[in-house]
Amino acid sequence: MTSNDPPASPTAEAGHILPAAHFDALLTLLHEDGFDVRGPRVQGGALEIGKLPNAAALPQGCSATQEPGAWRLQHTGTPAWFGITHGGMSWKALLHPARTRLWSAERTADGFSVHEDAGPAKPFAFIGVRACDLRAIAVQDNVLQRGPYVDAVYNARRNGAFLVTVDCAEPSGTCFCVSMGSGPAAGSGYDLALTELDAGSASHRFLVRTGSRAGEAVVQRLGLCEATHQDSASAKAIVEGASARMGRSMDATAARATLSANRESPHWQDVAQRCLSCGNCTMVCPTCFCTTVEDTSDLSGDIAERWRLWDSCFTFGFTHVAGGTVRESAGARYRHWISHKLLNLHEQFDESGCVGCGRCITWCPVGIDITAEVAALPQDVS
Amino acid sequence: MSAAVTQLAPVPLRVAAVVRETADSVTLTLARPDGSAVGPGAPGQFNMLYPFGIGEAAISLSSDSAETLVHTVRGVGAVSEALGRLRPGDWVGVRGPFGAGWPLEAARGRDIVLVAGGIGLAPLRSVIHAVLRDRAAFGRLFVAYGARTPRERLYVAELEDWQARSDIDIAVTVDAGDAHWSGRVGFVTALLANAPIDPARCIVMACGPEVMMRAAARQMLGRGVPIENVYVSLERNMKCAAGLCGHCQVGPLFMCKDGPVFPFGRVQDLLGVREI
Ligand SMILES: Cc1cc2nc3c(=O)[nH]c(=O)nc-3n(C[C@H](O)[C@H](O)[C@H](O)COP(=O)(O)OP(=O)(O)OC[C@H]3O[C@@H](n4cnc5c(N)ncnc54)[C@H](O)[C@@H]3O)c2cc1C
Ligand code: SF4
Ligand code: SF4
């Protein structure tokens, strides 16, 4: 994948400027290059990720409040185009689809023949990826592409994707990316990173940083002017302001020790009293990757298919073996989920499985808060 | 290991032979033609078997043949029961082989203790076959096998052959005997106390219910076998067998790609945690 290689030479230190009035030029260029361009869109009172024909389709004038168990859209008339951090849907819905057919097969004289479904016809371009979600894509890259086995479906959708991030100016009430080292400014892995400046004024513009050759080429073709040091100072102030207004926090290093020391804590019983085992947290979590398969056949029994669906470690059947289900209690399932996020993924892939996006807190119907649950465990005394 | 895009599609292989072992278990021999996309695998590895249109189940290799794939299946649900209904000439889909196998290299020149409970004898039979094929390369071979009842013993004719041989020492026990049973009754772990092996230079491989494997491991550690020479094979629900579906994780370990065979020291603490 050469297009997303890091830049050959450092670009203008301060970056470039994309005037808001020219935002559509970026989208047009990506469309013309054959990308399936997706971005945040308000649909049915929620924020979804949809086809993005032009900048007017962005959730302009909207904000959202997020609290444990609550996400509310507000038409505040904010001049910002990227005023809503994120909704329940994350980019994993496109890269690692919730439901996909892996193959279909039909009986033949030599047993059966299998047809694997091709990947999407066009590569994706994502507009408005948040810093936390950029890290989440990197987590799924590690799980699904690092090996020894590579996921064919994810591979086909992920390779060649063009990622445009937008730094957060106003974190939500459940965000804690600062604690997880993932935001509010985009780290590595983007093609273009934007910071929205002076929304609502005549100089509404985006500071553009490039993170790949493909990103550099786009900046060149758009003929963007170099940014001033004043522009980058403004962007820095926005990010610092957002960092200071995080909705939540967690001591991620202590969490690892706390979780390894508390496998048998009575606290898991306490969580089990509240947790509904609904699995919402796993559906909205941008790093959760678990799937199950369903095999089907037609009435004649000559044609069969295998479908893959997102699964949740909160279901009773997730760990079932002939002897029964291994994680029978809701407490054991919550312990598995939170331990995998904050402890086990470090051991497996040298990084946190939680990027601090706060979705699991917002979308939990009973408002269970991952930061509060870690804090409630007895600290490691060793 | 380099990263390979996972094989999603099962490869059809023909059933060459079916042997009924017990009321609910069969041994399937699948023909593996030259150049087949499915490799021969090694003892301890497993394949995902797909009876057409029904679903997939992880099934260990129960022999070490290069020309065929041999699998012993106990019917416990939709997929395994469909596998049990296959007849010679039928086709079955195969993906694999997957996983880390038994430490046969490390076992060369050493005594070997195999501890099997129930269907757990299937993956260990592939070790027995490999050892008997190259008998001089290994030290003494002791097999402890426990079945629930005499009728649930697998490979009955082969057990008798092994019992008649002098180069393999096998002890069989059942949880509950019947009118015809004159053999031992009791836990398989009881057979280990006097196993005629040298603890200092022996490798232990256990497969069966987790409680059995933990008890067997403790017993052999008690006899002075170094912990790094004790191996167990673990089972968890798995869908993809390639570390992608997440189902088989136990703490930081994926049973499918890190296991299913593990050095006991690597999983001892985890297995001690309830509902992990
Ligand atoms: C690495 C590995 C190697 C293996 N090797 C072998 C082998 O060599 N031989 C062998 O016979 N088996 C082996 N197994 C086990 C085998 O894979 C399972 O028995 C098989 O997948 C069961 O599938 P099934 O569809 O037949 O049963 P399922 O329909 O999945 O049901 C299995 C059992 O669980 C119960 N059950 C079904 N659904 C649920 C639910 N939602 N909640 C709770 N219980 C439920 C059923 O009643 C049944 O008793 C191995 C497993 C692994 C992981
Ligand atoms: S665990 Fe919660 S906060 Fe962390 S990445 Fe997943 S959804 Fe976001
Ligand atoms: S923590 Fe909340 S969202 Fe997750 S399973 Fe429990 S009740 Fe559902």
Side-chain angles (χ1 to χ4, degrees):
Chain A
M1 198 177 56
T2 50
S3 66
N4 296 64
D5 284 349
S9 57
T11 46
E13 205 182 303
H16 289 81
I17 288 297
L18 172 65
H22 294 169
F23 202 91
D24 278 335
L26 168 63
L27 300 184
T28 303
L29 184 149
L30 292 171
H31 280 120
E32 283 174 2
D33 281 358
F35 284 101
D36 178 354
V37 183
R38 307 286 181 126
R41 302 201 54 177
V42 168
Q43 266 151 3
L47 188 76
E48 297 191 344
I49 294 167
K51 299 246 183 205
L52 196 65
N54 49 46
L58 288 166
Q60 303 184 12
C62 295
S63 306
T65 51
Q66 298 198 44
E67 291 303 330
W71 193 98
R72 267 184 222 93
L73 181 71
Q74 285 168 330
H75 296 275
T76 49
T78 167
W81 289 4
F82 291 91
I84 309 181
T85 53
H86 51 359
M89 184 176 176
S90 73
W91 308 95
K92 86 168 175 184
L94 297 169
L95 297 176
H96 187 45
R99 187 175 160 74
T100 187
R101 188 171 68 183
L102 295 180
W103 48 258
S104 56
E106 61 185 320
R107 285 191 197 271
T108 63
D110 300 328
F112 50 85
S113 65
V114 183
H115 323 279
E116 290 186 35
D117 288 2
K122 293 175 162 191
F124 288 118
F126 293 164
I127 310 296
V129 178
R130 298 301 180 172
C132 57
D133 283 351
L134 183 69
R135 283 298 313 151
I137 291 172
V139 171
Q140 292 214 327
D141 288 351
N142 260 336
V143 175
L144 300 172
Q145 291 190 305
R146 183 151 122 188
Y149 299 100
V150 173
D151 185 83
V153 174
Y154 186 83
N155 217 36
R157 292 170 162 264
R158 174 71 175 93
N159 290 351
F162 189 87
L163 307 183
V164 181
T165 62
V166 176
D167 292 345
C168 291
E170 212 44 71
S172 88
T174 54
C175 290
F176 57 103
C177 60
V178 167
S179 301
M180 307 316 288
S182 63
S188 61
Y190 56 78
D191 293 289
L192 296 178
L194 312 184
T195 317
E196 187 171 14
L197 301 176
D198 294 330
S201 80
S203 56
H204 185 191
R205 65 199 185 283
F206 292 86
L207 175 71
V208 184
R209 288 170 286 144
T210 55
S212 70
R213 285 187 189 173
E216 276 177 12
V218 166
V219 163
Q220 258 176 23
R221 285 162 66 200
L222 289 172
L224 301 186
C225 302
E226 285 188 11
T228 63
H229 288 291
Q230 185 50 45
D231 293 324
S232 35
S234 308
K236 196 163 166 248
I238 284 174
V239 166
E240 279 169 1
S243 302
R245 289 192 298 276
M246 282 291 122
R248 296 216 155 13
S249 69
M250 179 197 287
D251 182 339
T253 310
R256 291 168 67 175
T258 302
L259 286 166
S260 11
N262 282 287
R263 286 205 191 103
E264 303 277 15
S265 166
H267 183 70
W268 305 121
Q269 287 311 111
D270 179 77
V271 186
Q273 301 288 310
R274 291 170 279 136
C275 174
L276 311 173
S277 284
C278 66
N280 269 14
C281 48
T282 54
M283 298 294 109
V284 295
C285 177
T287 71
C288 272
F289 57 87
C290 290
T291 52
T292 186
V293 288
E294 275 178 7
D295 282 277
T296 61
S297 65
D298 71 344
L299 280 178
S300 70
D302 291 335
I303 299 199
E305 295 184 342
R306 177 164 301 153
W307 287 78
R308 185 168 79 181
L309 294 79
W310 285 353
D311 202 358
S312 172
C313 56
F314 281 90
T315 65
F316 185 75
F318 191 84
T319 54
H320 104 76
V321 288
T325 276
V326 178
R327 290 192 280 273
E328 280 191 309
S329 70
R333 284 178 245 153
Y334 188 85
R335 175 187 65 189
H336 170 79
W337 178 76
I338 195 173
S339 302
H340 190 247
K341 292 290 154 206
L342 299 172
L343 168 67
N344 298 146
L345 217 109
H346 279 285
E347 301 161 291
Q348 295 170 328
F349 299 103
D350 309 314
E351 66 186 341
S352 173
C354 172
V355 297
C357 74
R359 283 188 181 86
C360 56
I361 308 171
T362 300
W363 296 90
C364 175
V366 292
I368 292 174
D369 177 344
I370 186 171
T371 64
E373 297 310 325
V374 173
L377 285 165
Q379 296 297 300
D380 178 28
V381 285
S382 64
Chain B
M1 211 187 312
S2 67
V5 175
T6 325
Q7 174 204 346
L8 292 172
V11 175
L13 294 184
R14 201 188 273 280
V15 178
V18 180
V19 174
R20 176 145 295 281
E21 302 286 356
T22 67
D24 62 4
S25 307
V26 297
T27 295
L28 306 172
T29 301
L30 312 180
R32 196 181 69 81
D34 278 347
S36 171
V38 182
Q45 288 195 297
F46 62 97
N47 284 309
M48 297 300 281
L49 299 188
Y50 170 64
F52 191 83
I54 311 281
E56 258 187 346
I59 305 292
S60 305
L61 289 163
S62 65
S63 185
D64 70 332
S65 151
E67 300 78 39
T68 58
L69 298 174
V70 182
H71 290 287
T72 304
V73 188
R74 187 162 78 97
V76 296
V79 177
S80 50
E81 281 165 9
L83 290 169
R85 288 191 295 271
L86 291 170
R87 292 289 158 260
D90 288 348
W91 295 91
V92 63
V94 183
R95 290 192 303 129
F98 293 108
W102 297 111
L104 274 168
E105 273 310 306
R108 292 180 89 82
R110 293 167 187 266
D111 290 351
I112 299 175
V113 174
L114 305 181
V115 192
I119 189 76
L121 181 59
L124 288 172
R125 187 178 75 149
S126 62
V127 175
I128 300 176
H129 287 180
V131 170
L132 294 182
R133 195 184 295 280
D134 193 8
R135 189 65 193 88
F138 302 89
R140 279 168 292 188
L141 174 59
F142 179 78
V143 182
Y145 171 40
R148 249 176 293 179
T149 65
R151 287 164 162 275
E152 283 167 86
R153 282 170 306 150
L154 300 169
Y155 319 124
V156 173
E158 209 173 359
L159 286 176
E160 281 169 15
D161 288 350
W162 293 337
Q163 273 163 333
R165 292 176 73 128
S166 58
D167 57 356
I168 159 169
D169 211 332
I170 175 156
V172 181
T173 182
V174 297
D175 295 347
D178 59 23
H180 309 287
W181 182 248
S182 56
R184 291 187 193 77
V185 177
F187 288 132
V188 67
T189 40
L191 306 174
L192 300 174
N194 303 310
I197 48 88
D198 176 359
R201 49 181 292 277
C202 109
I203 293 261
V204 179
M205 309 180 204
C207 187
E210 274 176 27
V211 276
M212 181 220 87
M213 291 190 285
R214 284 162 65 200
R218 267 199 304 273
Q219 182 124 17
M220 296 312 291
L221 295 177
R223 284 195 57 187
V225 177
I227 190 162
E228 60 273 18
N229 291 349
V230 179
Y231 290 80
V232 293
S233 180
L234 301 182
E235 177 188 347
R236 282 293 187 279
N237 186 309
M238 54 180 72
K239 302 294 180 194
C240 74
L244 307 171
C245 80
H247 275 255
C248 70
Q249 293 174 94
V250 176
L253 303 173
F254 287 84
M255 297 299 104
C256 63
K257 62 173 186 181
D258 300 323
V261 174
F262 289 97
F264 184 64
R266 209 167 157 208
V267 295
Q268 183 178 25
D269 287 350
L270 290 170
L271 295 184
V273 180
R274 255 180 318 122
E275 295 187 66
I276 193 136

